[in-house]
Amino acid sequence: MRIGSLLGLFLFILSVYILWKIKTVILLGFAAVVFATTLNRMVRFLLRFRLKRTFAIIIAVAFCLGLLIGFFVLIVPPFVDQVQQLIDLVPIGLQQIPEWANWLSNVVPDGLLEEIGGLKVFTQDLRSWATKLFGNFFDMFYSSIGIVLNMLLVIVVTIMLLANPEPYRKVFILLFPAFYRHRVQEILDECEDTLGGWAVGILFNMTVIAILSGLGLWILQVQLPLANGLLAGIFTFIPNLGPTLSVIPPVALALIDSPWKTVAVVILYVAIQQIESNILTPLVMQKQVSLLPAITLLSQIAFAIFFGIFGLFLALPIVVVAQVWLKEVLIKDILNQWE
């Protein structure tokens, strides 16, 4: 192998190693791109009123910061208080699973229980698994002040990108050969439209599901409806896995009261998810690229394994952007032209 080839291989390995070491910074940068793309849609809307871009950016950022500050002032204190109670009450509710299993064994005919088999073992495993999962999530939620610092970094970078996005766009385009740069501009425009539409849609879905979940739990008189409703809205950001995780706390709290309330909570969450998948998503995400469920789920698991919690939350927007690039570059520009 020639020296030039060895040098190229060494530089490639070194680049991969460096990128892996700064993977968290790259993910935070991508999060800033997502937020900047979303805010840019608001800025473009304000520009229709003949405002200067600087004023439009100030209004958009001030509006979002006002919502964020209002959220932390009005919602966060009772939410944190209810989450602390949730952490204390969920294990108590999970301890009721064997008791309700015994009650079920007295109600259901023996022949049916024999066909089901292993009900008590299953419920004990479920209690152990749910306790560990729930505990680990909230340990991670409370454990590090680094999350707050990372959020501040994302906000600062978002404002920088929003203030003057063209230089960053031009630098990225220069990484491609001259004959392909015009095509890259078109792909970036499509990525911006797709990502912006997805972000607006998912924020709308999160808000609606949080309201419906909290209101439904309040009607059913399940404890801590505010905390559980907000958790349901937050977990909506993680399709497939999110709805399953969000139902564990309210079900555990309902177990403290009665079995019928547990069944009612499950029915409530299933109904809300049906509303989200059959009504909300088609309504607000008409411009979103269609993502195959299996690919979405596998990408979430893979990103969570390699990049942790940030990878899990950013898996979907990354897949949205990656799918646009694969469709435009690999399929349209390479495979469809290959004769």
Side-chain angles (χ1 to χ4, degrees), residues 126-188:
L126 177 63
R127 181 184 62 180
S128 175
W129 174 83
T131 303
K132 291 180 180 178
L133 179 64
F134 192 74
N136 290 338
F137 171 78
F138 282 104
D139 286 342
M140 178 180 59
F141 186 80
Y142 280 111
S143 61
S144 178
I145 195 173
I147 295 178
V148 177
L149 297 178
N150 289 334
M151 289 178 60
L152 292 176
L153 176 62
V154 170
I155 292 174
V156 171
V157 176
T158 298
I159 295 175
M160 289 181 178
L161 293 174
L162 193 62
N164 193 11
E166 286 303 318
Y168 304 98
R169 185 185 178 102
K170 291 179 179 178
V171 169
F172 180 78
I173 292 175
L174 289 175
L175 297 176
F176 294 85
F179 73 90
Y180 200 69
R181 288 171 185 168
H182 178 72
R183 177 67 174 137
V184 171
Q185 291 183 11
E186 296 177 350
I187 297 174
L188 288 178

Side-chain angles (χ1 to χ4, degrees), residues 28-331:
L28 292 175
F30 182 79
V33 171
V34 174
F35 287 127
T37 302
T38 305
L39 287 175
N40 196 44
R41 295 174 71 91
M42 186 184 300
V43 171
R44 288 180 177 177
F45 174 78
L46 293 174
L47 290 177
R48 298 177 183 176
F49 298 95
R50 298 182 179 180
L51 294 175
K52 291 184 178 181
R53 182 173 179 85
T54 302
F55 292 123
I57 292 174
I58 292 175
I59 293 173
V61 173
F63 176 76
C64 293
L65 288 178
L67 290 178
L68 190 63
I69 293 172
F71 176 80
F72 275 97
V73 171
L74 300 176
I75 304 298
V76 169
F79 172 70
V80 172
D81 180 62
Q82 289 196 10
V83 165
Q84 187 59 52
Q85 297 178 48
L86 200 61
I87 295 174
D88 296 333
L89 291 175
V90 164
I92 298 175
L94 293 174
Q95 289 175 2
Q96 305 295 321
I97 293 179
E99 297 181 11
W100 294 124
N102 292 331
W103 171 82
L104 183 63
S105 64
N106 294 327
V107 174
V108 179
D110 295 336
L112 181 59
L113 283 180
E114 291 178 359
E115 293 180 2
I116 296 175
L119 179 62
K120 293 183 178 179
V121 175
F122 171 76
T123 54
Q124 291 173 356
D125 292 341
L126 177 63
R127 181 184 62 180
S128 175
W129 174 83
T131 303
K132 291 180 180 178
L133 179 64
F134 192 74
N136 290 338
F137 171 78
F138 282 104
D139 286 342
M140 178 180 59
F141 186 80
Y142 280 111
S143 61
S144 178
I145 195 173
I147 295 178
V148 177
L149 297 178
N150 289 334
M151 289 178 60
L152 292 176
L153 176 62
V154 170
I155 292 174
V156 171
V157 176
T158 298
I159 295 175
M160 289 181 178
L161 293 174
L162 193 62
N164 193 11
E166 286 303 318
Y168 304 98
R169 185 185 178 102
K170 291 179 179 178
V171 169
F172 180 78
I173 292 175
L174 289 175
L175 297 176
F176 294 85
F179 73 90
Y180 200 69
R181 288 171 185 168
H182 178 72
R183 177 67 174 137
V184 171
Q185 291 183 11
E186 296 177 350
I187 297 174
L188 288 178
D189 290 338
E190 184 172 351
C191 286
E192 182 179 357
D193 291 339
T194 304
L195 193 60
W198 169 83
V200 172
I202 199 67
L203 288 175
F204 179 79
N205 281 5
M206 291 170 65
T207 303
V208 173
I209 288 180
I211 294 174
L212 291 178
S213 301
L215 183 61
L217 293 174
W218 177 74
I219 293 174
L220 293 175
Q221 296 184 347
V222 177
Q223 301 181 60
L224 313 179
L226 174 62
N228 284 305
L230 288 178
L231 286 177
I234 293 172
F235 280 129
T236 303
F237 195 85
I238 312 174
N240 302 317
L241 299 176
T244 303
L245 295 175
S246 65
V247 77
I248 295 176
V251 164
L253 293 178
L255 281 170
I256 299 177
D257 296 334
S258 62
W260 73 264
K261 188 173 289 188
T262 303
V263 175
V265 169
V266 173
I267 294 175
L268 169 68
Y269 273 63
V270 170
I272 291 175
Q273 289 305 315
Q274 291 300 313
I275 293 173
E276 189 270 339
S277 60
N278 296 320
I279 299 178
L280 295 180
T281 297
L283 180 65
V284 302
M285 293 191 179
Q286 295 176 352
K287 294 184 178 180
Q288 180 189 358
V289 292
S290 110
L291 298 175
L292 297 176
I295 294 177
T296 303
L297 178 60
L298 292 175
S299 66
Q300 290 171 331
I301 296 174
F303 276 95
I305 292 174
F306 283 102
F307 305 112
I309 186 65
F310 287 114
L312 179 62
F313 277 90
L314 292 176
L316 200 56
I318 291 174
V319 171
V320 168
V321 173
Q323 182 162 313
V324 173
W325 278 91
L326 288 174
K327 181 185 70 174
E328 297 297 326
V329 178
L330 180 61
I331 297 177

